[in-house]
């Protein structure tokens, strides 16, 4: 009986990990459905989710060391970096295929590998070399495929890639403070710092901020920001980085499928090879990371 319970628990945990990635993969589709501007959709994604996340943060155990002034500045900087990351990613979602946006938007892991090697001044391992090489070749194939469609698609790829770079900055800023913050408390502070930035960017771009239909934004906030991140946070303590990385590959695949079904976005053989290489790069990158990670809010 005990063995059956153990197997059931493992299947349930794996199901939570897959469900987290499936929910997060629907985020780009919901951004397209929102009747606000793309950056404004990011603002509402954070703002509408804040009360729920704050409730979970309130329930987190206390007793950790205070952040201090430097720690608060680092978290605030991380919130700004995440806001700009989300703004760039949502602008990319509007301009390129959903599969491309999902892949490039999650490229922060590969960028972190390159940064860590430069900072540590150490020789890369074979997995790290393979991750960077696969990412570069895959990115070239995907961007070339986008350019063949239009310059607008290529611009969307570049916005999404910028989002990946900003996400890496976000992770680096939080590295020294994440041990002193619970995951939900960290997300609250990031949202408080980042949401006003998103609102200012949306207004500066002249976007429509107030929606006529709240449904896509409510689903985006509750699915991507609360359910997706909540399940992912729980899953990170149960699985190795390799398993997390492989599960991550479901996101761009599902995003590409939703782009095809909802918007008729096709993929050529070159695009599929590029996506496979980028996906392999993300899996290798996650396998090379330490087990303690900061999830994308």
């Amino acid at each position: 009986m005990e063995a059956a319970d153990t197997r059931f628990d493992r299947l349930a945990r794996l199901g939570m990990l897959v469900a987290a990635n499936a929910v997060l993969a629907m985020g780009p589709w919901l951004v397209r459905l929102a009747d606000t501007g793309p950056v404004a959709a990011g603002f509402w994604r954070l703002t509408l989710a804040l009360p729920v996340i704050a409730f979970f943060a309130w329930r987190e155990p206390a007793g950790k060391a205070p952040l201090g002034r430097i720690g608060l500045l680092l978290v605030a900087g991380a919130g700004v970096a995440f806001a700009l990351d989300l703004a760039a990613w949502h602008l990319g979602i509007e301009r390129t295929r959903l599969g491309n946006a999902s892949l490039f938007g999650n490229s922060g892991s590969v960028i972190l590998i390159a940064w860590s090697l430069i900072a540590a001044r150490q020789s890369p391992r074979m997995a790290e070399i393979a991750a960077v090489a696969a990412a570069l070749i895959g990115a070239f194939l995907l961007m070339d495929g986008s350019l063949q469609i239009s310059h607008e698609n290529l611009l969307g790829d570049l916005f999404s890639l910028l989002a990946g770079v900003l996400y890496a900055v976000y992770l680096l800023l939080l590295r020294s403070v994440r041990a002193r913050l619970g995951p939900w408390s960290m997300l609250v502070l990031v949202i408080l710092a980042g949401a006003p930035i998103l609102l200012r960017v949306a207004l500066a771009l002249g976007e429509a901020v107030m929606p006529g239909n709240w449904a896509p934004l409510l689903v985006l906030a509750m699915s991507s920001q609360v359910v997706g991140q909540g399940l992912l946070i729980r899953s990170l303590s149960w699985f190795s980085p390799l398993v997390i990385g492989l599960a991550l590959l479901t996101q761009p695949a599902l995003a590409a499928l939703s782009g095809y079904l909802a918007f008729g976005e096709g993929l050529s053989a070159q695009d599929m090879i590029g996506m496979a290489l980028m996906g392999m790069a993300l899996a290798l990158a996650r396998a090379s990371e330490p087990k303690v990670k900061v999830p994308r809010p």
Side-chain angles (χ1 to χ4, degrees), residues 208-290:
V209 174
M210 293 303 297
N213 179 10
W214 286 94
L217 295 172
L218 284 168
V219 175
L220 175 67
M222 294 302 110
S223 61
S224 292
Q225 200 66 25
V226 177
V227 177
Q229 283 303 311
L231 291 177
L232 187 59
I233 288 169
R234 294 293 304 275
S235 300
L236 291 177
S237 62
W238 293 330
F239 297 100
S240 69
L242 178 59
V243 174
I244 296 293
L246 291 174
L248 179 71
L249 302 187
T250 62
Q251 282 193 43
L254 288 173
L257 178 61
S258 66
Y260 171 74
L261 294 176
F263 305 105
E265 297 176 355
L267 292 173
S268 66
Q270 175 178 316
D271 294 325
M272 289 187 283
I273 293 172
M275 290 186 72
L277 287 170
M278 284 288 293
M280 183 179 72
L282 290 174
L284 289 170
R286 289 300 175 99
S288 300
E289 288 179 344

Side-chain angles (χ1 to χ4, degrees), residues 70-86:
I70 300 299
L72 286 173
L73 288 175
L74 288 172
V75 174
V80 172
F82 173 68
L84 296 176
D85 154 47
L86 202 59

Side-chain angles (χ1 to χ4, degrees), residues 199-213:
L199 180 58
R200 290 179 183 178
V201 173
L203 291 173
L205 293 175
E207 291 186 357
V209 174
M210 293 303 297
N213 179 10

Side-chain angles (χ1 to χ4, degrees), residues 54-262:
F55 171 76
F56 288 124
W58 175 67
R59 292 175 57 87
E60 284 180 334
K64 294 189 176 184
L67 280 176
R69 183 178 178 183
I70 300 299
L72 286 173
L73 288 175
L74 288 172
V75 174
V80 172
F82 173 68
L84 296 176
D85 154 47
L86 202 59
W89 191 42
H90 282 199
L91 287 170
I93 288 169
E94 291 289 309
R95 290 165 170 80
T96 191
R97 292 165 294 191
L98 297 189
N100 286 28
S102 182
L103 274 171
F104 288 125
N106 283 285
S107 63
S109 298
V110 181
I111 296 168
L112 279 179
I113 283 184
W115 173 265
S116 64
L117 292 175
I118 294 171
R121 298 181 180 178
Q122 65 184 40
S123 300
R125 293 176 296 174
M126 186 58 65
E128 293 164 341
I129 294 175
V132 174
L136 291 175
I137 297 172
F140 171 79
L141 291 175
L142 285 169
M143 288 186 179
D144 182 64
S146 291
L147 182 58
Q148 292 175 20
I149 298 175
S150 72
H151 285 84
E152 180 76 359
N153 276 61
L154 178 60
L155 182 62
D157 285 352
L158 292 174
F159 269 122
S160 300
L161 184 59
L162 175 60
V165 174
L166 289 166
Y167 181 54
V169 173
Y170 158 78
L171 291 176
L172 289 170
L173 288 173
L174 285 182
R175 285 184 67 182
S176 60
V177 298
R178 62 189 178 190
R180 287 179 280 168
L181 279 175
W184 293 109
S185 299
M186 178 191 68
L187 292 181
V188 167
L189 293 178
V190 166
I191 290 172
L192 290 175
I197 302 295
L198 284 166
L199 180 58
R200 290 179 183 178
V201 173
L203 291 173
L205 293 175
E207 291 186 357
V209 174
M210 293 303 297
N213 179 10
W214 286 94
L217 295 172
L218 284 168
V219 175
L220 175 67
M222 294 302 110
S223 61
S224 292
Q225 200 66 25
V226 177
V227 177
Q229 283 303 311
L231 291 177
L232 187 59
I233 288 169
R234 294 293 304 275
S235 300
L236 291 177
S237 62
W238 293 330
F239 297 100
S240 69
L242 178 59
V243 174
I244 296 293
L246 291 174
L248 179 71
L249 302 187
T250 62
Q251 282 193 43
L254 288 173
L257 178 61
S258 66
Y260 171 74
L261 294 176

